[in-house]
Amino acid sequence: MRARLILGLASLVLALAACVQNGDAPAEYRLFAMGTWVDLTLPPAAVHDRPELLREIESELRAFERDYYAWADGELAALNRALSAGRAFEASAELAGLLAEAQRIEAATEGAFDPGVGALVELWGFHGSDDPPPTPPAAAVIYALAGRAGSIADLSIDGTLIRAAEAEYTLDLGGIAKGEAVDRIVAKLGERGIAPALVNAGGDLRVVGAPAERAWRIGILAPRREGLIGTLRLVGGEAAFTSGDYERYVERDGQRLHHILDPRTGYPVTHTQAVTVLAANGVLADAAATALFVVGPAGWERVAEGLGIEAALRVDATGRIEMTASMRDRFQIDADEGSDIIILGH
Ligand code: AMP
Ligand code: MG
């Protein structure tokens, strides 16, 4: 699984390198955070002029891993403990803001996206860096955890004060937090006037400015083979995030068990291989990609519209690609891509 991921990333970076055609070759920096490589593509002067920049970004990412990962010992874990004990929790403005956005997306997706899925993520064994256990959880245990108890919908968010009726809460921000981390790095680069730049967290990325007044071109991986299904054009500020069943999975009895679960059934989603979303920021792109992955054929396009997403594509379980008309305008299909491609809308 890991080898495939790294190979995939290599193709992505190649595609990126090919797009930067101005003389001043950008510098690449790589940090490992949030379980993935975070690649920064920056103008060569950025780090030369501010040697502390990378250290600042790294320490922000380390704090982020602690505070936004439910199974670490940081702010999110403390929130889960407080809510499970029936206590109110005074959150940082950043965490409260992210919870409010996650709650909005839960409502807009009728529960397809719900960070309250954490107990199920743990039950399936997708919360740590180890492979999940050899035997999938028992149906009765999955059934007992599926449903709405401990959902983000149950939270009352009053400014930074978070309250809920007592229930077991394992809020897991894994479907949205990488977007927040990428946005924070982009904000930091913006404050320092660093552009053009690209922040790429394992294929989920956001761009600042554009190389020599051109658009960025980024590669979208094919879910079931090496290489790309195509390339997507981004302009300054935009984010493109992908949720895929190939990112974290095991195969058991010929079935692919992966990390994106339908909170309403408790099982990994089987109707979709990948969803890519383009949005004006990382948080929305990240959450929407996970959300639309779970919604799938039951109206992903309509839900995307409700979230304010115009450009999105979905690869269904058979490998067929569906995309919105505005994604089609940005997307160049790879010559090797043999799938049917369906353009939705007009
Ligand atoms: P992503 O790679 O952004 O699609 O996020 C996947 C991660 O989000 C998983 O590893 C879980 O931690 C979490 N997750 C899984 N299913 C859901 C869901 N239905 N809603 C919200 N978060 C989820
Ligand atoms: Mg996501």
Side-chain angles (χ1 to χ4, degrees), residues 36-170:
T36 189
W37 288 106
V38 179
D39 289 301
L40 305 171
T41 307
L42 306 173
V47 172
H48 183 264
D49 297 348
R50 301 172 193 77
E52 73 291 352
L53 178 69
L54 293 177
R55 233 174 309 119
E56 280 175 28
I57 292 175
E58 182 166 16
S59 62
E60 173 127 11
L61 287 173
R62 296 287 161 250
F64 200 87
E65 287 173 329
R66 189 190 60 232
D67 283 329
Y68 289 78
Y69 177 57
W71 297 273
D73 198 16
E75 195 181 4
L76 180 59
L79 169 71
N80 282 327
R81 276 194 305 274
L83 294 176
S84 301
R87 282 186 278 115
F89 186 82
E90 185 64 51
S92 62
E94 290 83 0
L95 178 60
L98 195 58
L99 291 169
E101 180 66 357
Q103 196 177 53
R104 184 181 79 83
I105 291 165
E106 191 279 342
T109 60
E110 290 152 18
F113 178 86
D114 187 351
V117 78
L120 282 159
V121 170
E122 188 175 337
L123 178 70
W124 282 94
F126 286 111
H127 58 304
S129 49
D130 294 340
D131 267 357
T135 326
V141 185
I142 297 169
Y143 183 78
L145 284 179
R148 292 179 59 85
S151 162
I152 197 155
D154 304 335
L155 261 49
S156 124
I157 306 172
D158 182 6
T160 52
L161 187 67
I162 319 293
R163 274 172 301 195
E166 188 176 340
E168 277 305 310
Y169 283 88
T170 311

Side-chain angles (χ1 to χ4, degrees), residues 50 56 184-194:
R50 301 172 193 77
E56 280 175 28
R184 284 202 199 166
I185 301 174
V186 163
K188 202 178 265 298
L189 298 176
E191 278 161 25
R192 288 162 178 74
I194 297 170

